Amino acid sequence: MSAIELIQEQLVLLPPDKQREVLDFVIFLQQQMGKGPDSSRRPPLRQHPAFGSWGMRRIDPLEYQQKLRAEWDEQVLG
């Protein structure tokens, strides 16, 4: 018996809500492999409006990070 047949056999024994969970999991696995229904419609990350949004700012990222961490240290320790 093939894996598909075994899955079908077990799937029909589940209540409808659990069958939907199985379907959701299959879709999730397909997306992880880049073959899911949403994978072809999803634009590349570089096309997202937030990508590079800090590029125009005149801020040193390391300096900014250190400032934020120092603020947290002050709140936690002081």
Side-chain angles (χ1 to χ4, degrees):
M1 188 175 275
S2 73
I4 292 174
E5 292 170 332
L6 290 169
I7 292 168
Q8 286 176 333
E9 197 174 271
Q10 295 300 312
L11 189 61
V12 296
L13 301 174
L14 295 173
D17 62 317
K18 297 300 179 186
Q19 290 178 5
R20 180 64 197 185
E21 284 185 39
V22 171
L23 177 59
D24 290 343
F25 184 66
V26 169
I27 292 170
F28 167 76
L29 291 175
Q30 289 173 336
Q31 289 171 347
Q32 293 294 316
M33 294 172 43
K35 296 180 181 179
D38 293 334
S39 64
S40 62
R41 293 184 298 181
R42 186 175 298 154
L45 184 59
R46 287 186 178 271
Q47 291 179 359
H48 193 279
F51 186 85
S53 61
W54 281 59
M56 298 297 210
R57 298 180 185 191
R58 303 282 185 226
I59 299 174
D60 177 9
L62 292 176
E63 198 173 296
Y64 182 79
Q65 175 188 6
Q66 291 169 350
K67 179 184 172 195
L68 286 177
R69 288 184 177 179
E71 289 176 8
W72 276 100
D73 287 343
E74 289 173 11
Q75 290 179 4
V76 172
L77 299 176

